[in-house]
Amino acid sequence: MSLEEAYHGTARRIEVNGKTLQMKIKPGIKNGQVLRIKEKGGQGANGGPKGDIYLTMIIPPHPHFERREDDLYCETPVELYTAVLGGKQLIITLKGNIRIDIPPGTDNGKTLRLKGLGMPKFDKPGEFGDLYAKVTIMLPKKLTEKEITLFKELYRLRNK
């Protein structure tokens, strides 16, 4: 299942002994977590009760987020001008995209904590981990002559 499905919860159909079972998976399920379906397995020995089915959930790595328990980690590209002057930045979350404030003078590599925007806590409705967004400053490309002149002027002012 995908990280998005683990975030929102999902349903799966599985076939066992010729029967199709519908299974609901709650939000916040973890990679490697084992779910048990009672008495839907094979027939017990000598007419005993049916056994249980155990399913191990597999969540492959996500291209944008890394999950650590209920917290999510990602990198957030921020333009140089926004990092220097401050401003708004679009952040991708599993809950939906949001805009956050980037403080003036934000350093490359600074990690911003977004409380409650991580994964839901399994079997604890309304509780969430946090999202940690690491700032990656993007340097401007293909500068105009005027921009180069302004950067040289800034350099000169800083190095008097």
Side-chain angles (χ1 to χ4, degrees):
M1 80 173 37
S2 70
L3 186 63
E4 288 83 358
E5 289 173 311
Y7 180 88
H8 295 287
T10 190
R12 286 284 193 271
R13 288 182 179 190
I14 58 171
E15 190 163 322
V16 178
N17 300 326
K19 292 183 181 178
T20 301
L21 302 175
Q22 181 76 14
M23 181 178 139
K24 286 186 179 179
I25 301 170
K26 296 177 186 176
I29 192 90
K30 292 183 171 96
N31 186 43
Q33 188 170 340
V34 177
L35 297 179
R36 183 176 104 177
I37 304 174
K38 286 184 174 184
E39 301 173 359
K40 296 293 183 182
Q43 186 65 50
N46 299 322
K50 288 186 175 185
D52 298 337
I53 297 173
Y54 292 90
L55 300 170
T56 302
M57 299 296 108
I58 303 298
I59 304 169
H62 192 273
H64 183 70
F65 297 106
E66 178 188 339
R67 182 177 183 178
R68 297 183 202 161
E69 294 300 320
D70 296 319
D71 295 328
L72 294 173
Y73 292 79
C74 67
E75 289 191 3
T76 301
V78 175
E79 288 189 357
L80 174 66
Y81 314 110
T82 304
V84 171
L85 302 172
K88 297 283 188 186
Q89 177 65 43
L90 184 70
I91 301 281
I92 298 168
T93 77
L94 291 176
K95 201 176 215 174
N97 297 344
I98 62 169
R99 289 201 175 276
I100 65 164
D101 288 317
I102 301 294
T106 296
D107 287 327
N108 188 47
K110 179 179 176 73
T111 299
L112 305 171
R113 178 180 174 220
L114 305 172
K115 191 168 174 58
L117 291 177
M119 292 295 290
K121 295 184 182 231
F122 187 76
D123 243 356
K124 294 182 180 177
E127 292 186 34
F128 291 80
D130 298 329
L131 172 62
Y132 293 90
K134 181 179 176 183
V135 171
T136 304
I137 297 176
M138 299 182 311
L139 296 177
K141 306 285 187 231
K142 299 180 183 175
L143 297 174
T144 65
E145 286 297 321
K146 184 171 184 174
E147 288 172 320
I148 292 169
T149 301
L150 289 170
F151 271 109
K152 285 180 181 177
E153 178 66 14
L154 284 171
Y155 177 79
R156 188 185 64 71
L157 289 171
R158 295 288 293 191
N159 293 294
K160 279 188 172 183

